[in-house]
């Protein structure tokens, strides 16, 4: 059974007194994204400042397109690495009670190749499904949504297999994941009136809640035989609770009252 209220309630308890590093991770991510867009900002500024006519503008546009392509490629790489590092960090948070340092997050960067290839592979398939119309693309995005958790917990699982496993454990629950996403819309709307400050509470809350959902989806799939432990292979030995099947409801710091 998918119990989004329980996952969210547990997330609040798991984050109590432990918001420091998640906030630092957010600031780090924002900084990386700003740095990544500096070349585009500079090129656009030069184009706007230029008083030349058509040929200069055309040349500037071509240069901008070249920069945009490189930035898009770099964005895929960086976003993929950040996604898998986030997934690993929140898996650790979900299985511990003590505060975690920024170094716990940095350890996830060792999975940079899985993150990059996973992002490319996922976005390729979401794009192809979206060509049929937006709804199939959205449905598949939720079907693939557990890929980074799987790769973060089981680094030896390949990208294609992690996608298949994600599809397997989300079968019958994609609508529940969608509704869970919608349940944060009220907070997101309220965040607009805080100039984004509320994000430092909201984003960790969402990340933790969806991590709990991942644990529950995986445990349910294992219980019903939809997948087997052998399908995932060995867990990262550096992760707390490696080699155990742990659900969101059984974490020491997250049991709902």
């Amino acid at each position: 059974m998918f119990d989004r209220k329980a996952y969210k309630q547990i997330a609040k308890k798991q984050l109590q007194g432990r918001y420091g590093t998640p906030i630092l991770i957010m600031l780090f991510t924002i900084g990386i994204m700003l740095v990544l867009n500096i070349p585009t900002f500079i090129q656009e500024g030069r184009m706007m400042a230029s008083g030349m006519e058509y040929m200069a503008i055309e040349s500037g546009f071509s240069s901008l397109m070249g920069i945009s392509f490189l930035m898009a490629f770099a964005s895929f790489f960086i976003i993929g690495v950040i996604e898998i590092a986030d997934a690993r960090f929140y898996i650790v948070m979900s299985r511990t009670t003590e505060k975690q340092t920024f170094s716990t997050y940095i350890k996830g960067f060792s999975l940079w190749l899985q993150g990059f290839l996973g992002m490319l592979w996922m976005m390729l398939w979401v794009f192809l499904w979206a060509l049929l119309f937006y709804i199939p693309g959205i449905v598949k995005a939720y079907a693939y949504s557990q890929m980074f958790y799987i790769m973060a917990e089981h680094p030896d699982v390949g990208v294609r297999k992690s996608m298949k496993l994600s599809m397997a454990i989300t079968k019958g629950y994609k609508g529940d994941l969608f509704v869970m996403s919608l349940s944060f819309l009220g907070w997101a709307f309220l965040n607009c009136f805080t100039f984004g400050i509320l994000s430092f509470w909201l984003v960790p809350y969402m990340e933790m809640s969806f991590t709990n959902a991942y644990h529950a989806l995986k445990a349910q799939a294992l219980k019903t035989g939809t997948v087997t432990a052998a399908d995932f292979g060995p867990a990262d030995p550096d992760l707390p609770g490696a080699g155990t099947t742990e659900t969101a409801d059984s974490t020491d710091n997250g049991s709902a009252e």
Side-chain angles (χ1 to χ4, degrees), residues 126-186:
V126 169
F127 171 73
L128 291 175
W129 279 104
L131 292 178
L132 299 177
F133 199 56
Y134 290 112
I135 293 178
I138 294 173
V139 171
K140 287 300 179 180
Y142 280 99
Y144 308 150
S145 63
Q146 309 304 300
M147 284 179 61
F148 290 97
Y149 294 113
I150 293 170
M151 290 189 292
E153 187 176 10
H154 303 276
D156 293 334
V157 175
V159 171
R160 289 191 295 177
K161 189 172 183 179
S162 69
M163 176 177 282
K164 291 179 180 178
L165 289 170
S166 179
M167 292 170 65
I169 68 176
T170 58
K171 187 176 182 180
Y173 296 102
K174 292 183 285 293
D176 294 294
L177 288 168
F178 177 69
V179 172
M180 187 168 171
S181 298
L182 293 180
S183 70
F184 292 100
L185 280 181

Short mmCIF file of all heavy atoms in Angstrom, two decimals, residues 126-186:
data_model
loop_
_atom_site.label_atom_id
_atom_site.label_comp_id
_atom_site.label_asym_id
_atom_site.label_seq_id
_atom_site.Cartn_x
_atom_site.Cartn_y
_atom_site.Cartn_z
N VAL A 126 12.07 9.71 -22.09
CA VAL A 126 10.97 10.62 -21.76
C VAL A 126 10.64 11.48 -22.98
O VAL A 126 9.47 11.71 -23.31
CB VAL A 126 11.34 11.51 -20.55
CG1 VAL A 126 10.31 12.64 -20.38
CG2 VAL A 126 11.41 10.68 -19.28
N PHE A 127 11.69 11.95 -23.67
CA PHE A 127 11.48 12.77 -24.87
C PHE A 127 10.76 11.99 -25.96
O PHE A 127 9.81 12.48 -26.58
CB PHE A 127 12.83 13.26 -25.40
CG PHE A 127 12.75 13.94 -26.74
CD1 PHE A 127 12.22 15.21 -26.86
CD2 PHE A 127 13.20 13.28 -27.88
CE1 PHE A 127 12.13 15.83 -28.11
CE2 PHE A 127 13.12 13.89 -29.13
CZ PHE A 127 12.58 15.17 -29.24
N LEU A 128 11.19 10.74 -26.19
CA LEU A 128 10.56 9.92 -27.23
C LEU A 128 9.09 9.64 -26.91
O LEU A 128 8.24 9.70 -27.80
CB LEU A 128 11.33 8.60 -27.39
CG LEU A 128 12.74 8.72 -27.98
CD1 LEU A 128 13.43 7.37 -27.98
CD2 LEU A 128 12.69 9.30 -29.39
N TRP A 129 8.80 9.36 -25.66
CA TRP A 129 7.41 9.12 -25.27
C TRP A 129 6.58 10.41 -25.35
O TRP A 129 5.40 10.38 -25.68
CB TRP A 129 7.33 8.54 -23.87
CG TRP A 129 7.59 7.07 -23.82
CD1 TRP A 129 8.73 6.43 -23.41
CD2 TRP A 129 6.70 6.02 -24.23
NE1 TRP A 129 8.62 5.08 -23.52
CE2 TRP A 129 7.38 4.79 -24.02
CE3 TRP A 129 5.41 6.01 -24.75
CZ2 TRP A 129 6.79 3.56 -24.32
CZ3 TRP A 129 4.82 4.79 -25.04
CH2 TRP A 129 5.51 3.58 -24.83
N ALA A 130 7.23 11.53 -25.05
CA ALA A 130 6.53 12.81 -25.09
C ALA A 130 6.14 13.20 -26.51
O ALA A 130 5.22 13.99 -26.72
CB ALA A 130 7.38 13.91 -24.46
N LEU A 131 6.84 12.64 -27.52
CA LEU A 131 6.49 12.93 -28.91
C LEU A 131 5.09 12.43 -29.24
O LEU A 131 4.43 12.93 -30.15
CB LEU A 131 7.51 12.28 -29.85
CG LEU A 131 8.93 12.87 -29.83
CD1 LEU A 131 9.84 12.08 -30.77
CD2 LEU A 131 8.93 14.34 -30.21
N LEU A 132 4.65 11.40 -28.51
CA LEU A 132 3.30 10.88 -28.72
C LEU A 132 2.25 11.83 -28.16
O LEU A 132 1.11 11.81 -28.56
CB LEU A 132 3.15 9.50 -28.07
CG LEU A 132 4.09 8.42 -28.59
CD1 LEU A 132 3.89 7.13 -27.81
CD2 LEU A 132 3.84 8.18 -30.08
N PHE A 133 2.63 12.60 -27.19
CA PHE A 133 1.85 13.65 -26.53
C PHE A 133 2.45 13.81 -25.15
O PHE A 133 3.27 13.02 -24.71
CB PHE A 133 0.35 13.33 -26.46
CG PHE A 133 -0.49 14.55 -26.21
CD1 PHE A 133 -0.41 15.64 -27.06
CD2 PHE A 133 -1.34 14.63 -25.13
CE1 PHE A 133 -1.17 16.78 -26.85
CE2 PHE A 133 -2.11 15.76 -24.90
CZ PHE A 133 -2.03 16.84 -25.76
N TYR A 134 2.06 14.83 -24.42
CA TYR A 134 2.69 15.11 -23.14
C TYR A 134 2.40 14.04 -22.09
O TYR A 134 3.26 13.69 -21.29
CB TYR A 134 2.22 16.47 -22.61
CG TYR A 134 2.75 17.64 -23.41
CD1 TYR A 134 1.90 18.42 -24.19
CD2 TYR A 134 4.11 17.94 -23.40
CE1 TYR A 134 2.38 19.48 -24.94
CE2 TYR A 134 4.60 19.00 -24.15
CZ TYR A 134 3.73 19.76 -24.91
OH TYR A 134 4.23 20.79 -25.65
N ILE A 135 1.18 13.52 -22.09
CA ILE A 135 0.78 12.59 -21.03
C ILE A 135 1.64 11.33 -20.98
O ILE A 135 2.11 10.94 -19.91
CB ILE A 135 -0.72 12.24 -21.14
CG1 ILE A 135 -1.56 13.49 -20.85
CG2 ILE A 135 -1.09 11.11 -20.18
CD1 ILE A 135 -3.05 13.28 -20.99
N PRO A 136 1.92 10.66 -22.13
CA PRO A 136 2.80 9.49 -22.08
C PRO A 136 4.19 9.84 -21.53
O PRO A 136 4.79 9.05 -20.80
CB PRO A 136 2.89 9.04 -23.53
CG PRO A 136 1.61 9.50 -24.14
CD PRO A 136 1.34 10.83 -23.48
N GLY A 137 4.67 11.02 -21.86
CA GLY A 137 5.97 11.45 -21.35
C GLY A 137 5.97 11.61 -19.85
O GLY A 137 6.91 11.22 -19.16
N ILE A 138 4.88 12.18 -19.31
CA ILE A 138 4.75 12.36 -17.86
C ILE A 138 4.66 11.01 -17.16
O ILE A 138 5.30 10.78 -16.14
CB ILE A 138 3.52 13.22 -17.53
CG1 ILE A 138 3.72 14.65 -18.06
CG2 ILE A 138 3.26 13.24 -16.03
CD1 ILE A 138 2.49 15.53 -17.94
N VAL A 139 3.86 10.11 -17.74
CA VAL A 139 3.69 8.77 -17.15
C VAL A 139 5.03 8.06 -17.09
O VAL A 139 5.39 7.46 -16.06
CB VAL A 139 2.68 7.94 -17.97
CG1 VAL A 139 2.67 6.49 -17.50
CG2 VAL A 139 1.28 8.54 -17.85
N LYS A 140 5.80 8.12 -18.17
CA LYS A 140 7.09 7.43 -18.20
C LYS A 140 8.10 8.10 -17.26
O LYS A 140 8.96 7.43 -16.71
CB LYS A 140 7.63 7.41 -19.63
CG LYS A 140 6.89 6.44 -20.54
CD LYS A 140 6.98 5.01 -20.00
CE LYS A 140 6.23 4.03 -20.86
NZ LYS A 140 6.34 2.65 -20.34
N ALA A 141 7.99 9.41 -17.09
CA ALA A 141 8.90 10.10 -16.16
C ALA A 141 8.73 9.53 -14.75
O ALA A 141 9.71 9.34 -14.03
CB ALA A 141 8.62 11.60 -16.18
N TYR A 142 7.49 9.25 -14.38
CA TYR A 142 7.25 8.65 -13.06
C TYR A 142 7.68 7.18 -13.04
O TYR A 142 8.14 6.68 -12.01
CB TYR A 142 5.78 8.79 -12.66
CG TYR A 142 5.47 10.17 -12.13
CD1 TYR A 142 4.87 11.13 -12.94
CD2 TYR A 142 5.78 10.51 -10.82
CE1 TYR A 142 4.61 12.40 -12.47
CE2 TYR A 142 5.51 11.77 -10.34
CZ TYR A 142 4.93 12.72 -11.16
OH TYR A 142 4.68 13.99 -10.68
N ALA A 143 7.55 6.50 -14.16
CA ALA A 143 7.99 5.11 -14.23
C ALA A 143 9.50 5.01 -14.05
O ALA A 143 10.01 4.05 -13.45
CB ALA A 143 7.59 4.49 -15.57
N TYR A 144 10.23 6.02 -14.54
CA TYR A 144 11.69 6.00 -14.45
C TYR A 144 12.21 6.72 -13.21
O TYR A 144 13.43 6.80 -12.99
CB TYR A 144 12.31 6.69 -15.68
CG TYR A 144 11.82 6.18 -17.01
CD1 TYR A 144 11.76 7.03 -18.12
CD2 TYR A 144 11.42 4.86 -17.19
CE1 TYR A 144 11.32 6.58 -19.36
CE2 TYR A 144 10.96 4.40 -18.43
CZ TYR A 144 10.93 5.26 -19.51
OH TYR A 144 10.48 4.82 -20.73
N SER A 145 11.32 7.24 -12.39
CA SER A 145 11.70 8.15 -11.29
C SER A 145 12.57 7.52 -10.21
O SER A 145 13.20 8.23 -9.43
CB SER A 145 10.44 8.73 -10.65
OG SER A 145 9.65 7.69 -10.06
N GLN A 146 12.61 6.18 -10.13
CA GLN A 146 13.39 5.53 -9.07
C GLN A 146 14.79 5.12 -9.53
O GLN A 146 15.55 4.53 -8.75
CB GLN A 146 12.63 4.30 -8.57
CG GLN A 146 11.18 4.57 -8.19
CD GLN A 146 11.03 5.66 -7.16
OE1 GLN A 146 11.55 5.55 -6.05
NE2 GLN A 146 10.30 6.72 -7.50
N MET A 147 15.15 5.44 -10.75
CA MET A 147 16.43 5.03 -11.30
C MET A 147 17.62 5.48 -10.47
O MET A 147 18.53 4.69 -10.18
CB MET A 147 16.60 5.57 -12.73
CG MET A 147 15.82 4.85 -13.79
SD MET A 147 16.07 5.59 -15.43
CE MET A 147 17.85 5.37 -15.65
N PHE A 148 17.63 6.74 -10.07
CA PHE A 148 18.80 7.27 -9.38
C PHE A 148 18.92 6.72 -7.96
O PHE A 148 20.02 6.52 -7.46
CB PHE A 148 18.75 8.81 -9.36
CG PHE A 148 18.97 9.41 -10.72
CD1 PHE A 148 17.90 9.79 -11.51
CD2 PHE A 148 20.25 9.56 -11.22
CE1 PHE A 148 18.10 10.32 -12.78
CE2 PHE A 148 20.47 10.08 -12.49
CZ PHE A 148 19.39 10.47 -13.27
N TYR A 149 17.79 6.44 -7.32
CA TYR A 149 17.83 5.79 -6.02
C TYR A 149 18.44 4.39 -6.15
O TYR A 149 19.28 3.98 -5.34
CB TYR A 149 16.42 5.66 -5.42
CG TYR A 149 15.76 6.96 -5.06
CD1 TYR A 149 14.63 7.41 -5.75
CD2 TYR A 149 16.25 7.74 -4.02
CE1 TYR A 149 14.01 8.59 -5.41
CE2 TYR A 149 15.64 8.93 -3.66
CZ TYR A 149 14.51 9.35 -4.37
OH TYR A 149 13.90 10.53 -4.03
N ILE A 150 18.00 3.67 -7.18
CA ILE A 150 18.49 2.31 -7.40
C ILE A 150 19.99 2.31 -7.67
O ILE A 150 20.74 1.52 -7.08
CB ILE A 150 17.72 1.64 -8.55
CG1 ILE A 150 16.26 1.42 -8.16
CG2 ILE A 150 18.37 0.31 -8.94
CD1 ILE A 150 15.36 0.99 -9.30
N MET A 151 20.45 3.20 -8.54
CA MET A 151 21.88 3.25 -8.87
C MET A 151 22.70 3.74 -7.69
O MET A 151 23.85 3.34 -7.51
CB MET A 151 22.10 4.14 -10.09
CG MET A 151 21.58 3.53 -11.39
SD MET A 151 22.06 4.46 -12.86
CE MET A 151 21.11 5.98 -12.64
N ALA A 152 22.12 4.63 -6.88
CA ALA A 152 22.84 5.13 -5.71
C ALA A 152 23.01 4.04 -4.66
O ALA A 152 24.05 3.95 -4.00
CB ALA A 152 22.10 6.32 -5.11
N GLU A 153 21.99 3.21 -4.51
CA GLU A 153 22.05 2.14 -3.51
C GLU A 153 22.77 0.91 -4.03
O GLU A 153 23.43 0.20 -3.27
CB GLU A 153 20.63 1.75 -3.08
CG GLU A 153 20.62 0.77 -1.92
CD GLU A 153 19.21 0.46 -1.43
OE1 GLU A 153 18.23 0.84 -2.11
OE2 GLU A 153 19.11 -0.18 -0.37
N HIS A 154 22.66 0.68 -5.34
CA HIS A 154 23.28 -0.50 -5.96
C HIS A 154 24.12 -0.04 -7.16
O HIS A 154 23.66 -0.12 -8.31
CB HIS A 154 22.20 -1.49 -6.41
CG HIS A 154 21.29 -1.93 -5.31
ND1 HIS A 154 21.60 -2.96 -4.45
CD2 HIS A 154 20.07 -1.46 -4.93
CE1 HIS A 154 20.61 -3.12 -3.58
NE2 HIS A 154 19.68 -2.21 -3.84
N PRO A 155 25.33 0.44 -6.92
CA PRO A 155 26.15 1.06 -7.98
C PRO A 155 26.48 0.13 -9.14
O PRO A 155 26.78 0.60 -10.24
CB PRO A 155 27.43 1.46 -7.24
CG PRO A 155 27.04 1.56 -5.81
CD PRO A 155 26.00 0.51 -5.61
N ASP A 156 26.43 -1.19 -8.92
CA ASP A 156 26.78 -2.12 -9.99
C ASP A 156 25.65 -2.37 -10.97
O ASP A 156 25.83 -3.01 -12.00
CB ASP A 156 27.23 -3.47 -9.39
CG ASP A 156 28.54 -3.34 -8.62
OD1 ASP A 156 29.33 -2.43 -8.94
OD2 ASP A 156 28.77 -4.14 -7.69
N VAL A 157 24.45 -1.88 -10.64
CA VAL A 157 23.31 -2.03 -11.56
C VAL A 157 23.51 -1.07 -12.74
O VAL A 157 23.75 0.11 -12.56
CB VAL A 157 21.97 -1.72 -10.86
CG1 VAL A 157 20.83 -1.75 -11.86
CG2 VAL A 157 21.72 -2.73 -9.75
N GLY A 158 23.42 -1.58 -13.94
CA GLY A 158 23.60 -0.73 -15.11
C GLY A 158 22.44 0.22 -15.30
O GLY A 158 21.37 0.07 -14.69
N VAL A 159 22.64 1.19 -16.17
CA VAL A 159 21.62 2.22 -16.41
C VAL A 159 20.34 1.61 -16.97
O VAL A 159 19.23 1.89 -16.51
CB VAL A 159 22.17 3.30 -17.37
CG1 VAL A 159 21.06 4.23 -17.81
CG2 VAL A 159 23.28 4.08 -16.70
N ARG A 160 20.48 0.75 -17.99
CA ARG A 160 19.29 0.15 -18.60
C ARG A 160 18.54 -0.75 -17.62
O ARG A 160 17.31 -0.75 -17.58
CB ARG A 160 19.68 -0.62 -19.86
CG ARG A 160 20.10 0.27 -21.02
CD ARG A 160 20.22 -0.51 -22.31
NE ARG A 160 21.29 -1.50 -22.26
CZ ARG A 160 21.58 -2.35 -23.23
NH1 ARG A 160 20.84 -2.35 -24.34
NH2 ARG A 160 22.57 -3.21 -23.11
N LYS A 161 19.30 -1.49 -16.82
CA LYS A 161 18.64 -2.37 -15.85
C LYS A 161 17.96 -1.57 -14.75
O LYS A 161 16.89 -1.93 -14.27
CB LYS A 161 19.65 -3.34 -15.24
CG LYS A 161 18.99 -4.42 -14.39
CD LYS A 161 19.99 -5.48 -13.96
CE LYS A 161 19.29 -6.58 -13.18
NZ LYS A 161 20.22 -7.65 -12.76
N SER A 162 18.59 -0.46 -14.34
CA SER A 162 17.97 0.38 -13.31
C SER A 162 16.66 0.96 -13.81
O SER A 162 15.71 1.12 -13.04
CB SER A 162 18.92 1.50 -12.88
OG SER A 162 19.10 2.46 -13.91
N MET A 163 16.58 1.26 -15.10
CA MET A 163 15.33 1.75 -15.67
C MET A 163 14.26 0.66 -15.62
O MET A 163 13.10 0.92 -15.25
CB MET A 163 15.53 2.23 -17.10
CG MET A 163 14.25 2.67 -17.79
SD MET A 163 14.49 3.32 -19.47
CE MET A 163 15.11 4.96 -19.08
N LYS A 164 14.63 -0.57 -15.99
CA LYS A 164 13.68 -1.68 -15.95
C LYS A 164 13.20 -1.95 -14.53
O LYS A 164 12.01 -2.20 -14.30
CB LYS A 164 14.32 -2.93 -16.54
CG LYS A 164 14.59 -2.85 -18.04
CD LYS A 164 15.25 -4.11 -18.56
CE LYS A 164 15.52 -4.03 -20.06
NZ LYS A 164 16.21 -5.24 -20.57
N LEU A 165 14.12 -1.88 -13.56
CA LEU A 165 13.75 -2.10 -12.17
C LEU A 165 12.83 -0.99 -11.67
O LEU A 165 11.89 -1.23 -10.92
CB LEU A 165 15.00 -2.20 -11.30
CG LEU A 165 15.84 -3.47 -11.48
CD1 LEU A 165 17.17 -3.33 -10.75
CD2 LEU A 165 15.08 -4.69 -10.96
N SER A 166 13.12 0.24 -12.09
CA SER A 166 12.28 1.37 -11.70
C SER A 166 10.87 1.19 -12.24
O SER A 166 9.87 1.42 -11.54
CB SER A 166 12.87 2.68 -12.21
OG SER A 166 12.05 3.79 -11.87
N MET A 167 10.77 0.75 -13.49
CA MET A 167 9.47 0.51 -14.10
C MET A 167 8.72 -0.59 -13.35
O MET A 167 7.50 -0.53 -13.16
CB MET A 167 9.64 0.14 -15.57
CG MET A 167 10.14 1.27 -16.44
SD MET A 167 10.61 0.73 -18.12
CE MET A 167 9.03 0.20 -18.75
N ALA A 168 9.48 -1.60 -12.90
CA ALA A 168 8.86 -2.74 -12.21
C ALA A 168 8.31 -2.33 -10.85
O ALA A 168 7.17 -2.68 -10.49
CB ALA A 168 9.88 -3.87 -12.05
N ILE A 169 9.10 -1.58 -10.07
CA ILE A 169 8.66 -1.26 -8.71
C ILE A 169 7.61 -0.14 -8.67
O ILE A 169 6.91 0.03 -7.67
CB ILE A 169 9.84 -0.91 -7.78
CG1 ILE A 169 10.50 0.41 -8.17
CG2 ILE A 169 10.87 -2.03 -7.76
CD1 ILE A 169 11.62 0.83 -7.22
N THR A 170 7.51 0.63 -9.77
CA THR A 170 6.48 1.69 -9.82
C THR A 170 5.21 1.23 -10.52
O THR A 170 4.24 1.99 -10.60
CB THR A 170 7.01 2.94 -10.56
OG1 THR A 170 7.42 2.58 -11.88
CG2 THR A 170 8.18 3.57 -9.81
N LYS A 171 5.19 -0.01 -11.01
CA LYS A 171 4.01 -0.51 -11.70
C LYS A 171 2.81 -0.50 -10.76
O LYS A 171 2.85 -1.09 -9.68
CB LYS A 171 4.26 -1.92 -12.22
CG LYS A 171 3.13 -2.45 -13.08
CD LYS A 171 3.46 -3.82 -13.66
CE LYS A 171 2.34 -4.32 -14.57
NZ LYS A 171 2.66 -5.66 -15.15
N GLY A 172 1.78 0.19 -11.16
CA GLY A 172 0.58 0.31 -10.34
C GLY A 172 0.64 1.45 -9.34
O GLY A 172 -0.33 1.71 -8.63
N TYR A 173 1.79 2.15 -9.28
CA TYR A 173 1.95 3.23 -8.30
C TYR A 173 2.32 4.57 -8.92
O TYR A 173 2.57 5.54 -8.20
CB TYR A 173 3.03 2.85 -7.27
CG TYR A 173 2.65 1.65 -6.44
CD1 TYR A 173 3.21 0.40 -6.71
CD2 TYR A 173 1.74 1.74 -5.39
CE1 TYR A 173 2.87 -0.72 -5.95
CE2 TYR A 173 1.40 0.64 -4.63
CZ TYR A 173 1.97 -0.59 -4.92
OH TYR A 173 1.63 -1.69 -4.17
N LYS A 174 2.36 4.64 -10.25
CA LYS A 174 2.74 5.91 -10.89
C LYS A 174 1.73 7.00 -10.57
O LYS A 174 2.11 8.16 -10.35
CB LYS A 174 2.87 5.70 -12.41
CG LYS A 174 4.04 4.82 -12.80
CD LYS A 174 4.19 4.70 -14.30
CE LYS A 174 3.14 3.77 -14.89
NZ LYS A 174 3.35 2.36 -14.47
N GLY A 175 0.45 6.64 -10.53
CA GLY A 175 -0.57 7.62 -10.16
C GLY A 175 -0.40 8.11 -8.74
O GLY A 175 -0.59 9.29 -8.44
N ASP A 176 0.01 7.20 -7.84
CA ASP A 176 0.24 7.59 -6.44
C ASP A 176 1.42 8.56 -6.33
O ASP A 176 1.37 9.51 -5.54
CB ASP A 176 0.53 6.34 -5.59
CG ASP A 176 -0.68 5.42 -5.50
OD1 ASP A 176 -1.68 5.83 -4.90
OD2 ASP A 176 -0.61 4.31 -6.03
N LEU A 177 2.47 8.31 -7.11
CA LEU A 177 3.62 9.21 -7.11
C LEU A 177 3.23 10.58 -7.65
O LEU A 177 3.70 11.62 -7.15
CB LEU A 177 4.76 8.61 -7.94
CG LEU A 177 5.48 7.42 -7.32
CD1 LEU A 177 6.36 6.73 -8.37
CD2 LEU A 177 6.33 7.86 -6.13
N PHE A 178 2.37 10.58 -8.68
CA PHE A 178 1.90 11.84 -9.25
C PHE A 178 1.09 12.64 -8.22
O PHE A 178 1.30 13.84 -8.05
CB PHE A 178 1.05 11.56 -10.49
CG PHE A 178 0.46 12.79 -11.11
CD1 PHE A 178 1.25 13.72 -11.75
CD2 PHE A 178 -0.92 13.00 -11.08
CE1 PHE A 178 0.70 14.87 -12.32
CE2 PHE A 178 -1.48 14.13 -11.65
CZ PHE A 178 -0.67 15.06 -12.28
N VAL A 179 0.19 11.96 -7.54
CA VAL A 179 -0.63 12.62 -6.51
C VAL A 179 0.26 13.13 -5.39
O VAL A 179 0.04 14.22 -4.84
CB VAL A 179 -1.70 11.65 -5.96
CG1 VAL A 179 -2.40 12.27 -4.75
CG2 VAL A 179 -2.71 11.32 -7.04
N MET A 180 1.30 12.37 -5.06
CA MET A 180 2.23 12.81 -4.02
C MET A 180 2.94 14.10 -4.43
O MET A 180 3.14 15.01 -3.62
CB MET A 180 3.26 11.71 -3.73
CG MET A 180 4.18 12.01 -2.54
SD MET A 180 5.11 10.54 -2.07
CE MET A 180 6.25 11.25 -0.88
N SER A 181 3.31 14.18 -5.70
CA SER A 181 3.91 15.42 -6.22
C SER A 181 2.94 16.59 -6.10
O SER A 181 3.32 17.69 -5.68
CB SER A 181 4.32 15.24 -7.68
OG SER A 181 5.28 14.23 -7.83
N LEU A 182 1.67 16.34 -6.45
CA LEU A 182 0.66 17.39 -6.37
C LEU A 182 0.44 17.87 -4.93
O LEU A 182 0.08 19.02 -4.70
CB LEU A 182 -0.67 16.89 -6.94
CG LEU A 182 -0.72 16.62 -8.44
CD1 LEU A 182 -2.11 16.12 -8.83
CD2 LEU A 182 -0.36 17.85 -9.25
N SER A 183 0.67 16.98 -3.96
CA SER A 183 0.42 17.32 -2.57
C SER A 183 1.37 18.40 -2.05
O SER A 183 1.12 18.99 -1.00
CB SER A 183 0.53 16.07 -1.69
OG SER A 183 1.87 15.63 -1.59
N PHE A 184 2.44 18.67 -2.80
CA PHE A 184 3.38 19.72 -2.41
C PHE A 184 3.09 21.05 -3.09
O PHE A 184 3.79 22.04 -2.84
CB PHE A 184 4.82 19.29 -2.73
CG PHE A 184 5.33 18.15 -1.90
CD1 PHE A 184 5.34 16.86 -2.42
CD2 PHE A 184 5.78 18.35 -0.60
CE1 PHE A 184 5.82 15.80 -1.66
CE2 PHE A 184 6.25 17.29 0.16
CZ PHE A 184 6.26 16.01 -0.37
N LEU A 185 2.10 21.09 -3.97
CA LEU A 185 1.82 22.30 -4.74
C LEU A 185 1.45 23.48 -3.86
O LEU A 185 1.81 24.63 -4.15
CB LEU A 185 0.71 22.04 -5.75
CG LEU A 185 1.11 21.32 -7.04
CD1 LEU A 185 -0.09 21.17 -7.96
CD2 LEU A 185 2.23 22.07 -7.76
N GLY A 186 0.71 23.21 -2.78
CA GLY A 186 0.33 24.29 -1.88
C GLY A 186 1.55 24.97 -1.28
O GLY A 186 1.62 26.21 -1.21
#
